[in-house]
């Protein structure tokens, strides 16, 4: 009887350790569930971002940016760093712009984004804009 109890203690101890390790492993291995809305927002942001990047390939936009002294690489980097909400707002403003003012609207919108990020101390493109911090 004594040997059975002694063996049961060892088995119980081993099972308790095994259960603890299994619990820790299973709680670390769980993945978060992504909602449909989040997934659609991310996909829409990617589509908006690609749309803006394709607009940068237009020669008129390139010429206007060069006239203003802003490099295309900086604009592309800024587009990549825009949040989904900013991208959606940007696309909405582009959709509302008239056909003739499309290129000018794009340039003005880029400049506004640059000015806002300069004011928030995120960048320092324009030397005449002071940081608000």
């Amino acid at each position: 009887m004594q040997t059975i109890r002694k063996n049961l203690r060892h088995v119980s101890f081993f099972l308790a350790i095994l259960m603890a390790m299994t619990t820790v492993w299973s709680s670390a291995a769980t993945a978060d569930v992504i909602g449909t809305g989040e997934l659609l927002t991310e996909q829409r942001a990617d589509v908006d971002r690609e749309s803006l990047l394709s607009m940068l390939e237009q020669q008129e936009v390139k010429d206007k940016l060069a006239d203003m002294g802003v490099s295309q690489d900086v604009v592309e980097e800024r587009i990549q760093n825009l949040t989904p909400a900013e991208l959606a707002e940007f696309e909405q403003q582009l959709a509302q712009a008239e056909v003739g003012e499309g290129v000018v609207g794009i340039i003005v919108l880029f400049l506004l984004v640059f000015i806002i990020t300069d004011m928030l101390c995120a960048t320092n493109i324009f030397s005449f804009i002071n940081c608000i911090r």
Side-chain angles (χ1 to χ4, degrees):
M1 198 65 146
Q2 288 288 347
T3 50
I4 293 176
R5 286 189 181 167
K6 195 181 265 188
N7 287 336
L8 280 176
R9 282 188 187 164
H10 292 292
V11 171
S12 312
F13 179 73
F14 175 74
L15 288 176
I17 298 262
L18 184 66
M19 287 175 53
M21 289 175 54
T22 305
T23 304
V24 169
W25 178 75
S26 67
S27 65
T30 59
D32 291 335
V33 177
I34 297 176
T36 305
E38 291 176 37
L39 186 61
L40 290 176
T41 302
E42 288 178 20
Q43 287 179 347
R44 180 67 188 165
D46 290 340
V47 169
D48 290 345
R49 191 170 282 117
E50 290 300 319
S51 171
L52 290 175
L53 290 173
S54 69
M55 286 182 191
L56 283 178
E57 298 302 319
Q58 296 176 3
Q59 191 60 40
E60 295 173 344
V61 175
K62 288 180 182 180
D63 294 341
K64 192 70 171 174
L65 287 173
D67 290 343
M68 295 180 169
V70 179
S71 80
Q72 185 174 353
D73 295 334
V74 172
V75 176
E76 288 176 2
E77 181 182 340
R78 293 284 180 91
I79 290 173
Q80 293 296 339
N81 293 331
L82 289 175
T83 64
E86 291 169 335
L87 281 169
E89 181 181 338
F90 196 77
E91 284 291 324
Q92 183 181 16
Q93 290 177 0
L94 285 177
Q96 292 174 352
E98 294 180 15
V99 175
E101 65 182 38
V103 173
V104 176
I106 292 170
I107 301 300
V108 169
L109 196 53
F110 281 130
L111 289 175
L112 286 175
V113 170
F114 294 155
I115 290 170
I116 290 170
T117 55
D118 276 0
M119 289 174 64
L120 295 174
C121 304
T123 59
N124 188 14
I125 293 177
F126 302 114
S127 59
F128 58 88
I129 296 176
N130 295 327
C131 210
I132 58 175
R133 289 185 191 179

